[in-house]
Amino acid sequence: MTDAHDSSADPEGADPISNWGRWGADDERGCLNYITPDVRAAAVAEARTGRFVSLARPIDPLPLAGGPLATTTTKAPAPVTHAMTYTGFPPPALTDILTINTHHAELTHIDAFGHMPVDGKVYPGIPVGDVADSQGLHRSSTTAFASGILTRGVLADLAPGGALPPGHPVTGADLDRALARQNTRARPGDALVVRCGWDLPASSGRPTPGMTVDAVTWMHRNQVSVYLGDIGDAHPPVDPTLPFPLHRIGLARLGLPLVDAVAVDELAEACAELERYQFLLVIAPIPVPRATGVPVAPLAVF
Amino acid sequence: MTDAHDSSADPEGADPISNWGRWGADDERGCLNYITPDVRAAAVAEARTGRFVSLARPIDPLPLAGGPLATTTTKAPAPVTHAMTYTGFPPPALTDILTINTHHAELTHIDAFGHMPVDGKVYPGIPVGDVADSQGLHRSSTTAFASGILTRGVLADLAPGGALPPGHPVTGADLDRALARQNTRARPGDALVVRCGWDLPASSGRPTPGMTVDAVTWMHRNQVSVYLGDIGDAHPPVDPTLPFPLHRIGLARLGLPLVDAVAVDELAEACAELERYQFLLVIAPIPVPRATGVPVAPLAVF
Amino acid sequence: MTDAHDSSADPEGADPISNWGRWGADDERGCLNYITPDVRAAAVAEARTGRFVSLARPIDPLPLAGGPLATTTTKAPAPVTHAMTYTGFPPPALTDILTINTHHAELTHIDAFGHMPVDGKVYPGIPVGDVADSQGLHRSSTTAFASGILTRGVLADLAPGGALPPGHPVTGADLDRALARQNTRARPGDALVVRCGWDLPASSGRPTPGMTVDAVTWMHRNQVSVYLGDIGDAHPPVDPTLPFPLHRIGLARLGLPLVDAVAVDELAEACAELERYQFLLVIAPIPVPRATGVPVAPLAVF
Amino acid sequence: MTDAHDSSADPEGADPISNWGRWGADDERGCLNYITPDVRAAAVAEARTGRFVSLARPIDPLPLAGGPLATTTTKAPAPVTHAMTYTGFPPPALTDILTINTHHAELTHIDAFGHMPVDGKVYPGIPVGDVADSQGLHRSSTTAFASGILTRGVLADLAPGGALPPGHPVTGADLDRALARQNTRARPGDALVVRCGWDLPASSGRPTPGMTVDAVTWMHRNQVSVYLGDIGDAHPPVDPTLPFPLHRIGLARLGLPLVDAVAVDELAEACAELERYQFLLVIAPIPVPRATGVPVAPLAVF
């Protein structure tokens, strides 16, 4: 761990951790490459009873349209807006439209690799100016998730029944301790679900816990295929000289898909009750291509 | 006045005021028909110095998109949402998109006749089921305003320097008194701008002043071409048995275009300073067809 | 079958098939009530290898914003529009917004019960005027799907390797024959996936095949929990006196969730190759409440 | 002219034409500063009969929502999308929402100075990174147009009754000749309306006419306050080493507001018929702040 930490301490340095080129210059899947047929077979073997839990936060859409006296507004974007649409009189059907703010902090969503440029490049090392225009991302987009993701998931509950203290820097050792406490371990190709016990949108400016470079290096070494967490990068950064390591190293350099704003309390309760911290994890976003992110409702199946 | 009031007291009765059929079964212009070339010539004669005042309320758009920590939202619709759009890196240009909630109470906008069905029909007497589908209004829409409106405007300041009391029912006599106090009068084809001294979105549920059937009848008799006001129909209704007379009789039966949510304080100050309550009024909405309303920025030119 | 057909021939008659009231006047789940813990356990038992297939049609979003020379437009709505959003210069991240036309014929989506009024009511018998306003559906909405759907799926391939003839009226006997040919059967709580071999948006006005009242009655009798198909109701209706039986009887009277515009060719190929027509079916829409429908990417897991 | 042309031939050079700093480092109005009270008085003096013409192109909105069989789509953005909104059953009112693609080539709109960075800066010389974020432009935005624009307009019809040849580079001499032919001239503060006789969205890739650096220098010398035209910058550029001079020099360096995609044929006919090429010009956009552009319907009043 120490060595790994040392080698990654300067991610812009001579020998940072990176998967750029590991699966070729045209790779679109990044750490999803860790999910082999054997991993998928092991994943479905975890689904024994059919009990399942959603990892999506609830959504309360903002009406896009409204009556003449709806006058209170705010200036913050909404995760989802919604409008009922008129179809005729009497209405042959009731229909609607939804507008989705893909990376909103209250919306459970998966980041495409192209979401985060680092040093002007996105995974697997393409200049951002070459990858995106007004039509979207032409590489490293949500297209990678279009057929869905199925793998084994493992929960690391870092604060069972409680919450990490404000500003806690999550390390690889924290992850090791949590898994050991649960008598489980992460295997190559696993999706890692992290619980810090924080409701981020309700954190009201308190310093949040967050992943360190060391934790990201741990994910790299353990060949984690997808990260899902109630917390990701710390706000404010744990190390201001290395802000956003989960996004800048994990997403951008490793090609590790990140599911932000995940609801994990119900999952943690189920795991504790069942005394099982592994499960089949299914992520099935709508197959919208060229986007930088897409909302998801991951399901953990026991 | 009394007779007119009596005859209109039951707008669903034997002889309500109505312009249905007055300009033909296919008419799309309603009271805009009162604006003759002579009226327009009189209108531009009021424009002598080029000083002008906008009657549009300010807009503070709600961001449609935003960063990961913008988490405070509300559940009320916004008048206008806005998103900056990505055009490349470096950006060859900065561009954006706007979404407009056409009838929002904070947004100065003009109502198309088809906005308000009464007894299942819209001006000039067409069943609402025949007029609208998911593609919009096929009759009695904003198409009528596509080439712009130019006429003489006259201000009726009902509460100079102050505000009407809560719940005040505005009558034709109120309008007559205001005009007499200003030494002016309404002529056929004039746009009537009414100032009650209320900031409606800030009224916080207090009963608002509003137009009565009598006031609408006064507009009919005086051949008003367009109504603009800081207040329109009262909330709650002055007469619960005849709610929304400005919309249900003025807009729907007379074909009187209504400009809702108008800012008139600056206009009233200019009129008082200049001792002139007539002006050239120009309304130039974007020519979007088939809509039920469209935002406007009416200009009063002195 | 004949009896069932007879009893349902007049769905407005004395004894139509209906589940209104079957699970209570406040029921929000309809046929999802058929999915018991035993059904879910049988469902996950079908997931043995981890091979999986998505049943979502590909999406090609319409740009919402664009450069000055993008001038070609059309007047048909798009299933999904997309805009890249500006986050600063240089961009700290690339982000976007999506607008979703929930019931578009090219978009794989699940209908909420409140999508379809019949005789002025929606499942389980509530007047449409009580259920919906500009804020959405207050009953019988997508809220029912918020936690996801997991059950056993069974494919009925009605035209292996080909397509049903134009206008073919699909009956219960057709479904029985398809299942028998596959050596499988539908069990209570199963999701029924129907393949007719049609690419509906490419059908160019030819009369499509579609479900008959008899087929819907078959689904009722077999306690189907969810319907998914490349074809649903026929256009034009098979029986003009009973149009849209899948929506008007299945969705509205039975409370049978319908997944429209499903891609099933790849699933049919996998089933044929594996000689297995049952699978674990997972539907995980984003948990947007109050909507009339929501896009989905159902996954069939073997 | 020759000298002016020479001095501006290299707009990035030692002495390019520019108004950066002319009205202060905080200036938000650019060439609108040329519109003095005297100019406005002269403007309204041109309005004698009340006849008026709109300079806005017609709009045919794309439906945002639609029925299940509306399947034909395209991949080009629309200038305006529209959706009718559901308000209840029966509908107490018909309402809608509009989405506006502010800089679409088919939409008559006015560019804010911040729309066009040149050398990484926007008028009056502010780095683009300081001026814009996801919330919009904090300087040099449409806020400058919020109270409306009223000035004298003058038409320069460069091809009476016809059209300029493809690729024609419009020079100051062309503008002088057109005005001389009409027996008129441009005075300081005038809005310049240019007619080339082209319907740009229908030009199908033919090289368009467009303004040269020389023409922009002419506007600078004549203190033009606003540019409106059926053609602006040439596509492809007349001089590839100096592309987009109207936007890169006029808008960005001079602070000259540009109204793109103007309809001028009806105006040209009115001018020819009246033998008058000056008029009162009124531009009254909705007062949306922080945007990079806003649609307008300029009115020319005679």
Side-chain angles (χ1 to χ4, degrees):
Chain A
M1 184 85 66
T2 309
D3 287 354
H5 181 273
D6 285 350
S7 71
S8 69
D10 177 9
E12 327 295 345
D15 193 21
I17 57 171
S18 171
N19 286 326
W20 290 5
R22 177 177 188 152
W23 294 287
D26 291 333
D27 180 60
E28 295 272 5
R29 292 180 54 76
C31 296
L32 297 177
N33 284 298
Y34 294 132
I35 308 175
T36 61
D38 283 352
V39 171
R40 284 198 298 270
V44 295
E46 299 289 351
R48 302 171 205 161
T49 67
R51 176 172 171 174
F52 66 103
V53 174
S54 172
L55 278 63
R57 292 177 58 93
I59 295 172
D60 186 10
L62 176 71
L64 184 57
L69 290 184
T71 59
T72 308
T73 60
T74 185
K75 296 309 158 213
V80 175
T81 56
H82 170 259
M84 294 291 281
T85 42
Y86 180 91
T87 55
F89 176 80
L94 300 181
T95 58
D96 39 24
I97 52 177
L98 300 169
T99 300
I100 294 171
N101 193 353
T102 50
H103 294 279
H104 195 281
E106 295 180 5
L107 182 70
T108 307
H109 64 273
I110 187 166
D111 289 345
F113 305 142
H115 168 55
M116 180 61 62
V118 57
D119 297 339
K121 295 181 179 174
V122 301
Y123 177 90
I126 311 168
V128 62
D130 295 354
V131 88
D133 61 22
S134 65
Q135 315 293 294
L137 285 170
H138 297 277
R139 293 282 305 276
S140 301
S141 79
T142 52
T143 303
F145 315 136
S147 55
I149 298 170
L150 180 152
T151 190
R152 205 184 76 133
V154 59
L155 174 69
D157 188 345
L158 299 180
L164 286 182
H168 180 85
V170 178
T171 62
D174 287 329
L175 294 167
D176 278 329
R177 269 190 297 270
L179 294 177
R181 186 169 47 225
Q182 300 165 175
N183 292 315
T184 190
R185 61 186 181 89
R187 289 180 297 188
D190 274 4
L192 176 68
V193 184
V194 171
R195 180 184 174 278
C196 295
W198 279 64
D199 180 15
L200 194 56
S203 61
S204 305
R206 286 182 303 153
T208 73
M211 299 298 124
T212 60
V213 174
D214 183 71
V216 178
T217 303
W218 184 99
M219 296 174 209
H220 182 46
R221 198 173 54 243
N222 283 281
Q223 303 194 352
V224 168
S225 59
V226 186
Y227 173 90
L228 309 92
D230 58 356
I231 290 283
D233 280 308
H235 298 278
V238 169
D239 178 352
T241 68
L242 291 172
F244 302 107
L246 192 59
H247 283 79
R248 292 173 55 88
I249 301 175
L251 184 69
R253 294 203 181 272
L254 300 183
L256 175 65
L258 305 179
V259 183
D260 291 334
V262 170
V264 292
D265 281 357
E266 189 181 347
L267 174 67
E269 288 164 20
C271 288
E273 178 190 332
L274 297 171
E275 295 183 5
R276 281 219 285 142
Y277 292 82
Q278 307 95 322
F279 36 83
L280 166 63
L281 186 80
V282 178
I283 306 178
I286 60 169
V288 62
R290 298 193 300 277
T292 69
V294 61
V296 289
L299 297 189
V301 186
F302 292 92
Chain B
M1 185 85 65
T2 309
D3 287 355
H5 181 273
D6 285 350
S7 73
S8 69
D10 177 9
E12 326 296 344
D15 194 20
I17 58 171
S18 171
N19 286 327
W20 289 5
R22 178 178 186 151
W23 293 289
D26 291 333
D27 180 59
E28 294 272 5
R29 292 180 54 76
C31 295
L32 296 177
N33 284 298
Y34 293 134
I35 307 176
T36 62
D38 284 352
V39 170
R40 284 198 298 269
V44 293
E46 298 289 351
R48 301 173 206 160
T49 67
R51 175 172 171 175
F52 67 102
V53 175
S54 172
L55 278 64
R57 292 176 60 92
I59 294 172
D60 186 12
L62 177 71
L64 184 56
L69 290 185
T71 59
T72 309
T73 61
T74 184
K75 295 309 158 211
V80 174
T81 55
H82 170 260
M84 294 292 281
T85 41
Y86 180 91
T87 55
F89 176 79
L94 300 181
T95 58
D96 39 23
I97 51 176
L98 299 169
T99 299
I100 294 171
N101 193 353
T102 50
H103 294 279
H104 195 281
E106 294 180 6
L107 181 70
T108 308
H109 64 274
I110 187 165
D111 289 345
F113 305 143
H115 168 54
M116 180 61 61
V118 58
D119 298 340
K121 294 181 179 175
V122 300
Y123 177 89
I126 310 169
V128 63
D130 295 355
V131 87
D133 60 22
S134 65
Q135 314 294 294
L137 285 170
H138 297 278
R139 293 282 306 275
S140 302
S141 79
T142 51
T143 304
F145 314 137
S147 55
I149 299 170
L150 180 152
T151 191
R152 204 183 77 133
V154 59
L155 174 68
D157 189 345
L158 299 180
L164 286 184
H168 180 85
V170 178
T171 63
D174 287 329
L175 294 167
D176 279 327
R177 269 190 297 269
L179 294 176
R181 186 168 50 225
Q182 299 166 177
N183 292 316
T184 191
R185 63 186 180 85
R187 289 181 298 189
D190 275 5
L192 176 68
V193 184
V194 171
R195 180 185 174 278
C196 295
W198 278 63
D199 180 16
L200 195 54
S203 62
S204 304
R206 287 181 302 153
T208 73
M211 299 297 124
T212 60
V213 174
D214 183 71
V216 178
T217 303
W218 184 98
M219 296 174 208
H220 182 46
R221 197 173 56 244
N222 283 281
Q223 302 192 354
V224 168
S225 59
V226 186
Y227 173 91
L228 309 92
D230 58 356
I231 291 283
D233 280 307
H235 298 278
V238 170
D239 178 352
T241 66
L242 291 172
F244 302 108
L246 191 61
H247 283 79
R248 292 172 55 88
I249 301 175
L251 183 69
R253 293 200 181 276
L254 300 183
L256 175 65
L258 306 180
V259 183
D260 290 335
V262 171
V264 292
D265 282 357
E266 188 182 347
L267 174 67
E269 288 164 20
C271 288
E273 178 189 333
L274 298 170
E275 295 183 5
R276 281 219 285 144
Y277 291 82
Q278 308 95 323
F279 36 82
L280 166 63
L281 186 81
V282 177
I283 305 176
I286 59 168
V288 62
R290 298 194 299 275
T292 68
V294 60
V296 291
L299 297 188
V301 187
F302 292 92
Chain C
M1 187 83 64
T2 308
D3 288 354
H5 181 273
D6 286 350
S7 72
S8 68
D10 177 9
E12 326 295 345
D15 194 20
I17 58 171
S18 170
N19 286 327
W20 291 4
R22 177 177 186 151
W23 294 288
D26 291 333
D27 180 59
E28 295 273 5
R29 293 180 54 78
C31 295
L32 296 178
N33 284 298
Y34 294 133
I35 307 175
T36 61
D38 284 351
V39 170
R40 284 198 297 270
V44 294
E46 299 289 351
R48 301 172 206 161
T49 67
R51 176 171 171 175
F52 66 103
V53 175
S54 172
L55 279 63
R57 292 176 59 92
I59 295 172
D60 186 11
L62 177 71
L64 184 56
L69 290 185
T71 60
T72 308
T73 60
T74 184
K75 296 308 158 213
V80 174
T81 56
H82 170 260
M84 294 292 281
T85 42
Y86 180 92
T87 55
F89 177 80
L94 300 181
T95 58
D96 40 24
I97 51 177
L98 299 169
T99 299
I100 293 171
N101 192 354
T102 49
H103 294 279
H104 196 281
E106 295 181 6
L107 181 71
T108 307
H109 65 273
I110 186 166
D111 290 345
F113 305 141
H115 168 55
M116 180 60 62
V118 58
D119 298 340
K121 295 181 178 174
V122 300
Y123 177 89
I126 312 169
V128 62
D130 295 354
V131 88
D133 60 22
S134 65
Q135 314 294 295
L137 285 170
H138 297 278
R139 293 283 304 277
S140 301
S141 79
T142 51
T143 303
F145 314 135
S147 55
I149 299 170
L150 180 152
T151 191
R152 205 183 76 134
V154 60
L155 173 69
D157 188 345
L158 300 179
L164 286 183
H168 180 85
V170 178
T171 63
D174 288 328
L175 295 167
D176 278 329
R177 269 191 297 269
L179 294 176
R181 186 168 49 225
Q182 300 166 176
N183 292 315
T184 191
R185 62 187 182 85
R187 289 180 297 187
D190 274 5
L192 176 68
V193 184
V194 171
R195 180 184 174 278
C196 295
W198 279 63
D199 180 15
L200 195 54
S203 62
S204 306
R206 286 181 303 153
T208 73
M211 299 298 124
T212 59
V213 173
D214 182 71
V216 178
T217 303
W218 184 98
M219 296 173 208
H220 182 47
R221 198 174 55 245
N222 283 281
Q223 303 194 354
V224 168
S225 59
V226 186
Y227 173 91
L228 309 91
D230 58 356
I231 290 283
D233 280 308
H235 299 278
V238 170
D239 178 352
T241 67
L242 290 173
F244 302 108
L246 191 61
H247 283 78
R248 291 173 54 89
I249 301 175
L251 183 69
R253 293 202 182 273
L254 301 183
L256 175 66
L258 305 179
V259 183
D260 291 335
V262 170
V264 292
D265 281 357
E266 188 181 347
L267 174 67
E269 288 164 20
C271 287
E273 178 189 334
L274 298 170
E275 295 183 6
R276 280 219 285 142
Y277 291 83
Q278 308 96 322
F279 36 83
L280 166 62
L281 186 81
V282 176
I283 306 177
I286 61 169
V288 62
R290 296 194 301 276
T292 68
V294 61
V296 290
L299 297 189
V301 186
F302 293 92
Chain D
M1 185 87 64
T2 309
D3 287 353
H5 181 272
D6 286 349
S7 73
S8 68
D10 177 10
E12 326 296 345
D15 194 20
I17 57 170
S18 171
N19 286 326
W20 289 6
R22 178 178 187 151
W23 294 288
D26 291 333
D27 180 59
E28 295 272 5
R29 292 179 54 76
C31 296
L32 297 177
N33 284 298
Y34 294 134
I35 308 175
T36 62
D38 283 353
V39 171
R40 284 198 298 270
V44 294
E46 299 290 351
R48 302 172 205 160
T49 67
R51 176 172 170 175
F52 67 102
V53 174
S54 172
L55 278 64
R57 293 176 59 92
I59 295 172
D60 187 11
L62 176 71
L64 184 57
L69 290 185
T71 59
T72 308
T73 60
T74 184
K75 296 309 158 211
V80 174
T81 54
H82 170 260
M84 294 291 281
T85 41
Y86 180 90
T87 55
F89 176 78
L94 300 181
T95 59
D96 39 24
I97 51 177
L98 300 169
T99 299
I100 293 171
N101 193 353
T102 51
H103 294 280
H104 196 282
E106 295 181 5
L107 182 70
T108 308
H109 64 273
I110 186 166
D111 289 345
F113 305 142
H115 168 54
M116 180 61 61
V118 57
D119 297 340
K121 295 181 178 175
V122 300
Y123 177 91
I126 311 169
V128 63
D130 294 354
V131 88
D133 60 22
S134 65
Q135 315 293 294
L137 285 169
H138 297 277
R139 293 283 305 276
S140 301
S141 79
T142 52
T143 304
F145 315 136
S147 55
I149 298 170
L150 180 152
T151 191
R152 205 184 77 132
V154 58
L155 174 69
D157 189 345
L158 299 180
L164 286 183
H168 180 85
V170 178
T171 63
D174 287 329
L175 295 167
D176 278 328
R177 270 191 296 271
L179 294 176
R181 186 168 50 224
Q182 298 166 177
N183 293 315
T184 190
R185 62 188 181 85
R187 290 180 298 189
D190 275 4
L192 176 68
V193 184
V194 171
R195 181 185 173 277
C196 295
W198 279 63
D199 180 16
L200 194 55
S203 61
S204 305
R206 287 181 302 153
T208 73
M211 300 297 124
T212 60
V213 174
D214 184 71
V216 178
T217 302
W218 184 99
M219 296 175 208
H220 182 46
R221 198 173 55 243
N222 282 280
Q223 301 191 357
V224 168
S225 59
V226 186
Y227 173 90
L228 309 91
D230 58 356
I231 291 282
D233 280 308
H235 297 278
V238 170
D239 179 352
T241 68
L242 291 172
F244 302 107
L246 192 60
H247 283 79
R248 291 173 55 89
I249 302 175
L251 184 70
R253 292 202 183 274
L254 301 182
L256 175 66
L258 305 180
V259 184
D260 290 335
V262 170
V264 292
D265 281 357
E266 188 181 347
L267 174 66
E269 288 164 20
C271 288
E273 177 189 334
L274 297 171
E275 295 183 4
R276 281 220 284 142
Y277 291 83
Q278 308 95 324
F279 36 84
L280 167 63
L281 185 81
V282 178
I283 305 177
I286 59 168
V288 62
R290 298 194 299 276
T292 68
V294 61
V296 290
L299 297 188
V301 185
F302 293 91

